[in-house]
Each structure stands twice: as C-alpha cells, then as structure tokens.
Amino acid sequence: MADTIKIKKGLNINLLGEAKKSVSLYHAKEFAIKPTDFIGVFPRLLVKEGDAVKAGSPIFHDKFKEKVVFVSPVSGTVKQIKRGDKRVLEEIIISSDDNNDSIEFGKHDPNSMDRASIIEFLIQAGIWPMIRQRPYSVIANPDDSPKAIFISAFDSSPLAPDLSMIIKEELNTFKTGLDVLAKLTSGKVHLGLPEGRSELAGIKGVETTFYAGPHPAGNVGIHIHKLNPINKGEVVWTVNAQDVVIIGRLFNEGRYDSSVVIALTGSEIKNPQYFKTFKGASIKDLMKDNLKSQNVRFISGNVLTGDKVRQDCYIGFYHQQITVIPEGNYHEFFGWATPGFNKFSFSKAFFSYLSPRKKFMLDTNLHGGERALVMTGQYEQVLPMDVLPMQLIKSCMIEDIELMEKLGIYEVDEEDFALIEFIDTSKTNIQKIIRNGLDLVRKEMS
C-alpha cells in the first residue's frame, strides 16, 4: 500500500474563479514557441518567416547543445519571428492550418528499447525539453544519469487544474509514458498523488506516494525533499504529468501530439472552464466576450509563479493554466484601518481569518512598497522543507556560493519560495533572488 506523507506547513489560498469540470475544444489560430520559457537555452533558429512546418518540425536548437531541438506544436506556417531588446528571440509564431499534420517518427515499444535508444528517440522527436532536472530546474542533460525521476500528478496552487481528472482520460497513454521514463533511470520513478484520490493509484512500475496538507504539497520539489533529497553532485529529473502523456503518445502513435488540457481560471473570467488545445496556444480568442472588466492582469500559470502576459500572448511551454485577476493599480487610503472582511490575511491582521473557507477576489496590489527584510518567523510556517529560508535568501543576495550550498540551494526552486514571497511583508521579489542564486551556482559549476 502506498505511503501517505502529511504536509503540515503551507497555505491554501482560496480564490474565486475555479474552472468548471468540463472540457471544451479550443481551436486557436496561432501558436508560439517562446525561447524565454527555457532557462539557460541560447536559441539558434532553424526556420524563417513563411516556412511551412508540421507538428514536430524543428524550429530552433540550443547553440551549446545542438542535438536538443525545439519543435512546432502544430502544422502551418511560420508567421512571425519576434525579437525584443538587443535582438533577444522572444517568440516564433506559427499560423495553424487546422490540419495538424505531423512528422511520422514511427511507433516504438519502450519495453523493447534500451536507454540510449529511448533518449535518442525523445531528442529526435523534440520531446526532450519536457524533461527537466533538479537542481536548477533546467532542461535535463541527456548525458546525465538521474538517481530518480519525479512526477507530481496533482497541483495544489491556487485555482490549479485537476490533473487526476485530466490524466485518467488517457490513462493507458500515461502508463506508456511512465514505462519510457522508467528506462531512463536506475532508480525509482516517483508518482505523487493527493490523498483521497485513487484514479491513478495502483500503476505498476512506479513508486506511488500520497500527500496530504496545504499548498505546496503538490510541488515536485517538496516530494523530492521528502523522499530523495538532492546532495551536491546528484541529479533528479522531473516531468509534468501531462507531458508524460505526450511522451506516451509519441511511442504509441509515432507522432508528436502536444495536445494538453488547460484551465482558464480567475475571478475576472465569466466562464472559467477547461479547454483542450496544443502547447503554446494563443489566449486571445479565449478572452473574447469572456472578461468581466478590462482592467485585468493576464497570467500564464498560477497567481504565485505564473508569468504576466499580454492579452494577445501565448500559453507558456510548461504551463497548464491561464489566470485572470483584477489589476491592483489603485491607492487605498487607510486601508489597514478597515475590518478587512474581504481581505485575505495570513497574519490574521483582518477579521477575514474568522472565515477560513471563504473564497477571495484578490488583485495585484502589493499594499505597500519594498522595504527591508524583517525576521518574523513566518517564512518557516509556509515552507515544509528542512532549510533556513531567510538565511538562504540572504546568501543568494550576497552571492556566497559556499553558504548557499550549506543552506540547501540544490534542493530548492523558485516555486518553493512562492508562498514566502506572497506572505512577505517586505514586498521583496524573493523568487527572483532564488533564481539568481541558482543561475550563479549553475554557472560556477559548469
């Protein structure tokens, strides 16, 4: 019987705008691959505007790892190659022809292939960027041998999609994906599930663990910390649950089918629900006649870790949720002096703490400016890891690599510090500090 790990530290943020449990097809006209979604990748283009592509056609590769290619999610035409400041490659936009023609890679049985052949096949089909590694949360190095692979089949972040509901619709394909991943490590493949959900329990060949407790119980970083912590020199790989399905489709059907189910959520959406589309879909048509107001923020991902995007932008490669909440560009006179029945409060500063199950309509207002970090002891209450968060943050700020290593930098990721940033009274961009620390260590160790 699978073990259950109870997470006591953390915080659930109950927001209005949960997606209804129904899935509609979404035929976007445009899709995009954004090189900025991939940490540490230096893209070199393989296409030009006007080129015809199929699903699975290489679009660019990494200058320093040329064999790792990034492919088109749909068939159509390269409409625009968009660059930003200093000619940074931001988006490769593809107009879909709605035919979904794919490059044929051929069906394969992972159980009859060796590890090297599977890696070569995943790289050839453009699937490899879906496999990431800890530490650093970058695309996995195919030459590494991970000591384990972790998949979290549930997301505990605010308004997150119900992954168990999504995955069970393609359970056999998901199992094929797990068979593929099992060939890539000499250790275990760990599957994290929420307590009380048994749809995905009992899958053979993986180590299943249930988790109970508040967010970040669904973060794969927490699972790694509880089951197989990372020491210096060790590597584990992680894969999103829906990406495991895409891997399974590649082997079962012999083609790159990037279809995913995304949750359109947030208090400013009239009809929050699930949509089935392809990776990198434009969100523009999803918003048409579906917004309650115009002064809103569009987020690819969830409110804690997602990216601020434009209304005419595209879903991030690793995201499976779009969130729309009110912009908080207003000044509140003596806001701290009100009872605050409708204000979310972690520190019980408002009477709203008397209604723990209440759902809130939060906006982006920080309610104050950036100030000095203060030792409050609150950080430790929302981080269920045996690390000292304040000390680790400060070691990243002063770029002391030796101290970062001693304090556990190899175990953490930005998303593990998202709740700390949310409750932080100093309004500091803590996730950015952690990312800078990880990038510094990665640069020094490479």
Side-chain angles (χ1 to χ4, degrees):
M1 185 176 178
D3 294 330
T4 298
I5 294 178
K6 295 187 182 298
I7 305 293
K8 296 181 179 178
K9 296 179 179 179
L11 176 68
N12 284 330
I13 304 171
N14 298 321
L15 300 182
L16 291 169
E18 184 180 1
K20 298 173 185 173
K21 298 290 180 64
S22 61
V23 181
S24 301
L25 292 177
Y26 172 49
H27 298 284
K29 297 175 183 175
E30 293 180 354
F31 297 80
I33 303 176
K34 299 184 283 187
T36 50
D37 285 341
F38 309 102
I39 297 171
V41 169
F42 295 84
R44 175 173 287 161
L45 275 172
L46 301 173
V47 294
K48 61 182 183 298
E49 292 180 0
D51 282 357
V53 294
K54 293 182 178 180
S57 295
I59 300 297
F60 66 88
H61 65 66
D62 188 351
K63 288 180 182 178
F64 301 106
K65 293 178 184 174
E66 292 189 1
K67 62 182 181 181
V68 176
V69 295
F70 301 79
V71 300
S72 173
V74 295
S75 61
T77 306
V78 178
K79 177 184 177 183
Q80 184 182 6
I81 295 171
K82 195 170 182 179
R83 295 183 181 273
D85 295 339
K86 299 181 181 179
R87 291 186 55 76
V88 171
L89 190 57
E90 293 185 337
E91 295 171 348
I92 300 98
I93 302 171
I94 298 162
S95 292
S96 172
D97 59 10
D98 289 330
N99 294 327
N100 198 26
D101 293 330
S102 303
I103 293 179
E104 293 296 330
F105 297 103
K107 299 178 183 178
H108 290 70
D109 178 8
N111 295 314
S112 64
M113 300 171 70
D114 60 23
R115 182 176 187 271
S117 301
I118 288 177
I119 290 176
E120 186 63 32
F121 187 45
L122 291 171
I123 291 174
Q124 177 193 5
I127 297 285
W128 193 258
M130 296 177 188
I131 302 175
R132 290 182 286 179
Q133 74 161 56
R134 297 286 178 96
Y136 314 133
S137 280
V138 295
I139 295 172
N141 184 348
D143 298 327
D144 284 341
S145 296
K147 66 173 185 173
I149 297 178
F150 281 79
I151 300 130
S152 178
F154 74 110
D155 190 343
S156 55
S157 54
L159 301 175
D162 184 343
L163 293 179
S164 295
M165 180 197 78
I166 296 169
I167 301 301
K168 75 176 183 181
E169 298 298 322
E170 296 189 78
L171 187 55
N172 289 332
T173 311
F174 183 69
K175 290 178 180 176
T176 301
L178 293 176
D179 290 341
V180 173
L181 295 176
K183 286 293 193 80
L184 301 183
T185 176
S186 56
K188 296 178 179 178
V189 175
H190 293 274
L191 179 64
L193 297 173
E195 186 186 43
R197 298 292 296 269
S198 59
E199 295 96 330
L200 305 182
I203 296 178
K204 296 180 180 178
V206 298
E207 188 83 4
T208 301
T209 306
F210 291 98
Y211 295 86
H215 182 65
N219 282 10
V220 71
I222 305 302
H223 302 179
I224 295 170
H225 180 79
K226 297 294 183 184
L227 296 175
N228 202 344
I230 304 171
N231 297 309
K232 185 176 182 179
E234 295 178 337
V235 172
V236 301
W237 289 354
T238 67
V239 188
N240 288 344
Q242 291 207 67
D243 290 344
V244 176
V245 175
I246 294 174
I247 292 172
R249 288 192 201 116
L250 173 67
F251 282 77
N252 287 345
E253 302 171 13
R255 62 192 181 91
Y256 177 56
D257 180 353
S258 70
S259 55
V260 290
V261 175
I262 63 162
L264 179 60
T265 64
S267 61
E268 298 310 290
I269 293 293
K270 292 179 181 176
N271 297 303
Q273 67 174 99
Y274 291 84
F275 289 94
K276 188 170 186 178
T277 182
F278 296 98
K279 278 184 176 288
S282 167
I283 67 172
K284 184 177 179 179
D285 291 336
L286 284 177
M287 304 303 162
K288 189 176 181 181
D289 300 325
N290 202 14
L291 296 176
K292 293 180 180 177
S293 65
Q294 297 303 311
N295 187 29
V296 296
R297 178 169 298 188
F298 302 95
I299 301 169
S300 178
N302 66 69
V303 293
L304 292 175
T305 63
D307 299 328
K308 178 183 177 182
V309 297
R310 309 179 312 272
Q311 184 173 352
D312 60 348
C313 201
Y314 305 86
I315 302 168
F317 186 83
Y318 297 110
H319 293 156
Q320 45 203 349
Q321 178 182 3
I322 296 292
T323 311
V324 184
I325 59 174
E327 274 290 2
N329 48 356
Y330 60 88
H331 177 70
E332 192 176 21
F333 188 66
F334 281 122
W336 51 269
T338 62
F341 289 109
N342 294 317
K343 293 181 177 178
F344 184 88
S345 174
F346 172 71
S347 59
K348 299 182 180 179
F350 298 109
F351 286 113
S352 58
Y353 80 91
L354 297 172
S355 305
R357 296 183 182 277
K358 182 175 181 177
K359 293 187 176 181
F360 294 86
M361 185 177 71
L362 300 187
D363 58 37
T364 63
N365 198 317
L366 292 177
H367 301 286
E370 187 173 341
R371 64 206 72 173
L373 290 167
V374 180
M375 295 284 284
T376 62
Q378 291 183 328
Y379 291 2
E380 290 79 2
Q381 297 176 35
V382 296
L383 181 63
M385 303 175 84
D386 294 328
V387 300
L388 300 172
M390 177 66 84
Q391 288 82 350
L392 180 55
I393 291 166
K394 290 186 174 180
S395 68
C396 292
M397 293 173 73
I398 62 173
E399 299 184 348
D400 186 332
I401 292 178
E402 186 177 353
L403 187 56
M404 280 190 261
E405 289 179 333
K406 290 179 179 177
L407 291 168
I409 188 69
Y410 294 114
E411 290 222 44
V412 304
D413 185 58
E414 302 111 290
E415 68 174 9
D416 299 323
F417 280 70
L419 275 177
I420 290 178
E421 184 176 296
F422 177 74
I423 66 165
D424 178 40
T425 53
S426 71
K427 321 296 182 185
T428 303
N429 190 344
I430 291 173
Q431 293 184 77
K432 179 63 175 175
I433 293 172
I434 295 297
R435 171 43 57 191
N436 289 342
L438 288 167
D439 287 345
L440 179 63
V441 175
R442 178 168 57 90
K443 183 179 178 182
E444 291 297 319
M445 297 301 168
S446 62

